[in-house]
Amino acid sequence: MKTVTQIFQQVKIISVLGNPEVEISQLTIDSRQVGPQTLFAALKGTQTDGHSYIEKAIELGASAILCEDLPEVIHSTVTYIQVNDSAESLGYASSNFYDNPSSKLKLVGITGTNGKTTTVTLLFRLFRKLGYRCGLISTVQNQIDDTVIPSTHTTPDSINLNKLLAEMVEAGCTYAFMEVSSHSVVQHRITGLSFTGAIFSNITHDHLDFHKTFDNYIKAKKGFFDMLPKTAFALVNIDDRRGSVMVQNTKASINTYSLETLATVKGRIVSDSIYGLEMEIDNKEVHFQLIGTFNAYNLMAIYGAAILLGEDKDEVLINMSSLQTAPGRFEQIVSPDTRKVGIVDYAHTPDALENVLKTIKQIKDGNQQVITIVGCGGNRDATKRPIMAKIACELSDKVILTSDNPRFEDPEEILAQMQKGVPPIDFKKTKTIIDRKEAIHFAINELSENGDIILVAGKGHETYQDIQGVKHDFDDRVIIREAFGI
C-alpha cells in the first residue's frame, strides 16, 4: 500500500485536489474492478474514454482518480490527480506502485513486425538452459520460470505489466524477456520501465488500422529505442534498411547483426533443409533445429543479445543448437502413415507469409506440391488482404482462401477483398472456403503420397476463432492432427 504522493513521485502533475496522503491498495483502468482504496486511471482510448466512468468508479469506492480533465462534480472525499497525459503518467505511477521491478531485473525487449515471439521465446529458453531464473512476456503466453500465465495482449497494460514484473522479482528471476508492440509504445504501456537492452528484428506494413500510416508505424517502433538510457544496448538487424533509422536518436550503445553485410555480429547460412539450419557464426559452424532464413535472423538476434549480456560465446552456441521453435511458428506436423506434412505458422503479414513460403520451397523436394490455406483478420489493416492472396498464389501450387478471425466483419467481404489480389492466371488453382475447418480438411484430401506440404497460415498458436465478439474453440494444429489420425 502506498500514498498518492509516493505513487506519483517524479510524475509531472497539473494539480492535486484532495488528500495526497490517501493510501492506495490497487490501481486499475477498468471501473468494474474498482473497490475501496483504489486509484482509477481515466484513459482516453480508441474505443472509449475512461473519463466517462469516473463517477461510476467513485460510486464503487475509488479513493483517487487520475485524469486529464477534471469532472464537473468534485467529491471532497476523493483525491483527483490531473495530468496532461493519463496513460504516460500511469506508466510511471505503476512502476512506482510496484517498487520499480524492472530496475531489479535485466529486462530485454524486442520489437519488429515479424519474429518477436520466436526470438523472445528462444531467449527465455536459452537463458533457462544457461542456468538463470527468467520471466517471459509474449503474444503466446507469459511465464515466470515454470509457471505459465495466459496472455491477452502482446504487451500488457502498464499496471499488469509492472505487476507481472514484480512477481518475477519475487520469484527470484534475474532476467525478463518481452515483446514490445508498436501499440504499447504509443499507448505508454512501457513508459517508466528500465530496459537493459532492446532488439529490432524487421519492419513491414502492419497495424495500419491503428497507426494509419506506415511512417507512424515506423515512428512507434523507433520510439522504443528513443527512450533507452545510455546504460542499455540496442541491437538491430542492419540488413533491414530501417535498422539504422531505429537507433538514430538512441542514447544506448548501438550494435548490429546481419547475414549479408558487415555487422557487430555476423552470420552466414551454410545449408538450410527440413532437418535444420547449418550456420557459421563468429567463425564457428553450428547446426540448429530451426529452419529457414527468417529463423537464421532470429538466431542471430538471440546470439547477439546473449553476448551483449555477458555470456560465453561457445556455451551460448552449444545451448542454442538444441532450441526448438515457439508454438505456432513454423510448427511441423507429420502424418505417421504417409509423408504428408502440415505446417502451422502465425504468418499474418505479406512479408511473413512470403518468408514462410519461400522457406518451404527451399527445403521441399522437387515433386512435392505446396497447398496454402490463408485468411485475413477482420477489423484489421485491409490493404494487405489482396497482397496476401497474391503472394500465396505466386508461391503455392494450390491456394485456399478462408476465414481467419473475422471479428465483427463479414467473412465473405474479407475474402472478396483477398480475391482481388488473385492473378487471372491463378484463378483455377485458387478455391474459397469460408469455414476454416472445412478448408483444412479439403486441403488435406488434396495431398498426395509424395510428401506434399500444407501450410495453414495466420493463426499459429491461437486456440480460438473470433467471430462477432465470441471466441470459439479452434486450433489449426488440432484439426490437422485429427485429419492425420494422430
Side-chain angles (χ1 to χ4, degrees):
M1 196 173 300
K2 285 184 169 58
T3 65
V4 165
T5 298
Q6 292 170 325
I7 293 170
F8 287 91
Q9 285 179 22
Q10 301 176 329
V11 177
K12 293 179 181 178
I13 295 173
I14 296 174
S15 65
V16 176
L17 301 181
N19 178 16
E21 300 307 313
V22 65
E23 291 190 329
I24 301 298
S25 62
Q26 74 160 343
L27 313 179
T28 187
I29 57 174
D30 186 344
S31 61
R32 295 167 296 183
Q33 296 178 357
V34 170
Q37 296 183 313
T38 297
L39 182 144
F40 172 68
L43 305 187
K44 293 182 177 180
T46 54
Q47 303 295 327
T48 58
D49 185 347
H51 289 73
S52 303
Y53 299 93
I54 289 176
E55 195 61 35
K56 178 184 176 182
I58 292 171
E59 289 175 4
L60 292 172
S63 299
I65 302 293
L66 172 65
C67 59
E68 295 172 22
D69 306 314
L70 290 170
E72 292 183 6
V73 178
I74 301 296
H75 297 261
S76 59
T77 57
V78 177
T79 301
Y80 299 83
I81 306 97
Q82 185 184 18
V83 296
N84 285 318
D85 189 319
S86 294
E88 181 181 17
S89 299
L90 181 62
Y92 291 113
S94 299
S95 287
N96 290 335
F97 183 78
Y98 287 102
D99 295 321
N100 298 292
S102 61
S103 66
K104 300 170 185 176
L105 294 157
K106 289 185 177 180
L107 176 63
V108 178
I110 178 167
T111 196
T113 306
N114 303 311
K116 294 191 299 295
T117 301
T118 299
T119 302
V120 77
T121 302
L122 294 178
L123 266 173
F124 171 76
R125 292 175 179 175
L126 171 63
F127 273 75
R128 291 197 70 196
K129 282 176 174 287
L130 292 169
Y132 298 101
R133 295 180 71 85
C134 302
L136 170 69
I137 301 171
S138 80
T139 303
V140 176
Q141 65 189 33
N142 301 321
Q143 195 166 339
I144 302 174
D145 228 29
D146 288 321
T147 305
V148 175
I149 302 163
S151 174
T152 56
H153 293 81
T154 298
T155 312
D157 65 72
S158 58
I159 299 170
N160 284 308
L161 180 52
N162 278 279
K163 181 176 184 289
L164 188 57
L165 291 169
E167 290 171 356
M168 291 176 185
V169 172
E170 181 67 24
C173 295
T174 52
Y175 284 93
F177 304 101
M178 67 176 288
E179 292 185 52
V180 176
S181 67
S182 55
H183 293 64
S184 73
V185 179
V186 174
Q187 295 174 342
H188 292 289
R189 295 184 221 162
I190 60 169
T191 295
L193 298 186
S194 300
F195 283 91
T196 299
I199 304 169
F200 167 73
S201 59
N202 52 65
I203 194 163
T204 59
H205 283 257
D206 197 17
H207 300 303
L208 299 192
D209 55 304
F210 177 81
H211 297 290
K212 306 305 178 187
T213 68
F214 189 46
D215 187 50
N216 286 341
Y217 182 44
I218 292 170
K219 287 178 180 176
K221 297 290 188 187
K222 182 179 177 295
F224 177 34
F225 293 88
D226 290 349
M227 66 170 277
L228 294 175
K230 63 181 180 181
T231 54
F233 68 80
L235 176 63
V236 299
N237 173 10
I238 203 65
D239 289 345
D240 187 294
R241 64 191 182 92
R242 294 182 177 86
S244 58
V245 173
M246 292 294 131
V247 291
Q248 282 178 346
N249 303 109
T250 191
K251 300 182 186 72
S253 63
I254 299 172
N255 303 267
T256 57
Y257 65 96
S258 168
L259 293 176
E260 298 176 359
T261 189
L262 290 175
T264 310
V265 182
K266 180 73 167 64
R268 180 175 68 88
I269 297 175
V270 177
S271 65
D272 185 12
S273 72
I274 195 71
Y275 304 107
L277 277 163
E278 195 80 30
M279 293 182 66
E280 183 183 280
I281 301 178
D282 270 352
N283 299 315
K284 297 183 188 301
E285 284 199 14
V286 185
H287 179 269
F288 300 102
Q289 295 188 25
L290 280 71
I291 297 167
T293 301
F294 62 95
N295 270 323
Y297 278 106
N298 295 335
L299 289 164
M300 292 303 299
I302 296 158
Y303 176 78
I307 301 310
L308 289 167
L309 290 167
E311 296 303 309
D312 178 77
K313 294 180 179 181
D314 290 340
E315 191 173 357
V316 167
L317 289 173
I318 289 169
N319 283 283
M320 282 176 60
S321 66
S322 62
L323 292 174
Q324 296 181 336
T325 191
R329 269 60 178 179
F330 211 86
E331 190 170 342
Q332 294 169 263
I333 303 166
V334 181
S335 171
D337 301 325
T338 67
R339 296 175 59 235
K340 298 175 183 177
V341 178
I343 295 175
V344 174
D345 194 271
Y346 191 54
H348 60 284
T349 65
D351 184 64
L353 182 63
E354 183 176 4
N355 285 338
V356 170
L357 283 169
K358 282 184 175 179
T359 296
I360 292 172
K361 277 196 166 292
Q362 288 169 3
I363 64 176
K364 77 181 187 74
D365 295 335
N367 60 343
Q368 291 175 298
Q369 68 170 341
V370 177
I371 302 177
T372 297
I373 299 175
V374 64
C376 288
N379 303 107
R380 296 294 187 268
D381 180 12
T383 61
K384 67 184 179 184
R385 292 172 183 171
I387 302 171
M388 295 280 283
K390 182 174 184 291
I391 289 170
C393 290
E394 287 175 351
L395 298 171
S396 311
D397 297 294
K398 295 180 182 178
V399 175
I400 301 171
L401 304 179
T402 190
S403 292
D404 190 290
N405 291 316
R407 298 184 176 89
F408 292 98
E409 282 195 70
D410 180 352
E412 290 190 9
E413 178 58 30
I414 295 173
L415 290 170
Q417 292 175 26
M418 293 187 73
Q419 287 169 333
K420 291 178 181 178
V422 178
I425 194 173
D426 292 325
F427 284 168
K428 287 186 177 180
K429 74 175 188 182
T430 305
K431 189 175 181 64
T432 300
I433 301 175
I434 293 177
D435 185 276
R436 193 174 180 91
K437 182 176 182 179
E438 183 184 337
I440 294 173
H441 278 280
F442 178 86
I444 289 174
N445 288 333
E446 291 288 296
L447 297 175
S448 70
E449 303 299 320
N450 296 321
D452 289 346
I453 298 170
I454 173 178
L455 170 65
V456 185
K459 289 174 58 59
H461 64 283
E462 292 178 352
T463 56
Y464 62 85
Q465 192 170 28
D466 191 340
I467 304 172
Q468 294 295 316
V470 179
K471 289 188 175 181
H472 303 267
D473 287 343
F474 196 96
D475 190 325
D476 290 339
R477 298 163 296 182
V478 170
I479 305 301
I480 295 172
R481 289 191 181 100
E482 287 176 350
F484 280 171
I486 301 175

